[in-house]
Amino acid sequence: VTYMLPHLKKSSQRISLPGGTAYDVAYNPSGRLGLGMEIGRFHVIDNSRLISHVQLNVGIKVLHGIERFEATLDEETNPGGTAFISNEGVFSHAYTTMSFAATNIQQLSRKGFLQNSIGINGDYRIASSVAYDKGGLPIELADPTRFIFQAHYSLGIGFKLASNILVVPSVETPILNIY
């Protein structure tokens, strides 16, 4: 399960229409639940205190989000015009992904462990759906490019289901994004 966290600060902008009319627009983004699945291989590093193992994964992920906006007419540019416009848009992007990570594991119990990882991943968008009602305003959408590269840090708590099956729910945060 994935969830896109929105920006911590709401963004805003002034949009000018032909004829001099201007709207002050405030955006309110919000994340939505998505799905992702990865499979991979790992290699244990013996005699290292810093790196327990390295892993290479491939997978697919689907990210969802929503953005609401409220636009208020600047009365000085158009007295008596439509004073308020409110709408929203939703998006969904599907990516194939490949990642590499170096991981440190601290054993918590016989079957449980804490996992710290630093890694890189490349994502390639294979499908996209955007439905955005701009309310007649010339709002530009900032969709990510088709290819995204990211360096990231991940923290997870894992447990062993069987001798060769590990489940590690984790939280991942970007360190560097290139797109």
Side-chain angles (χ1 to χ4, degrees):
V1 176
T2 65
Y3 183 79
M4 288 186 55
L5 291 175
H7 296 284
L8 298 177
K9 179 180 164 187
K10 291 183 183 177
S11 61
S12 61
Q13 77 178 113
R14 177 169 273 236
I15 294 178
S16 297
L17 300 176
T21 301
Y23 281 88
D24 293 314
V25 183
Y27 300 97
N28 184 12
S30 178
R32 296 176 94 177
L33 289 178
L35 294 174
M37 183 171 182
E38 289 186 9
I39 59 171
R41 300 279 305 184
F42 70 94
H43 176 72
V44 175
I45 308 291
D46 292 326
N47 302 323
S48 174
R49 291 183 149 177
L50 184 60
I51 299 174
S52 303
H53 72 271
V54 293
Q55 61 191 47
L56 179 65
N57 301 318
V58 294
I60 190 165
K61 61 185 170 185
V62 180
L63 305 175
H64 300 287
I66 188 168
E67 181 177 77
R68 295 171 184 86
F69 75 87
E70 295 177 349
T72 307
L73 178 67
D74 178 14
E75 284 292 326
E76 292 179 12
T77 62
N78 187 19
T82 303
F84 189 76
I85 300 172
S86 176
N87 263 320
E88 70 180 29
V90 294
F91 68 87
S92 176
H93 299 299
Y95 294 91
T96 58
T97 185
M98 179 178 237
S99 63
F100 173 82
T103 301
N104 176 274
I105 292 182
Q106 299 297 317
Q107 205 68 37
L108 300 175
S109 69
R110 207 172 111 248
K111 291 191 176 191
F113 56 91
L114 180 68
Q115 177 175 294
N116 288 287
S117 299
I118 190 159
I120 58 173
N121 63 284
D123 299 338
Y124 184 76
R125 188 174 64 222
I126 55 174
S128 186
S129 171
V130 177
Y132 204 109
D133 185 351
K134 301 176 187 179
L137 297 175
I139 295 173
E140 292 186 25
L141 302 179
D143 283 336
T145 59
R146 199 174 243 339
F147 181 76
I148 298 172
F149 172 81
Q150 180 183 82
H152 61 269
Y153 170 75
S154 174
L155 177 65
I157 296 179
F159 52 94
K160 186 188 282 191
L161 290 180
S163 63
N164 62 349
I165 299 176
L166 305 174
V167 176
V168 188
S170 60
V171 176
E172 184 177 297
T173 186
I175 298 170
L176 173 70
N177 286 319
I178 299 173
Y179 53 92

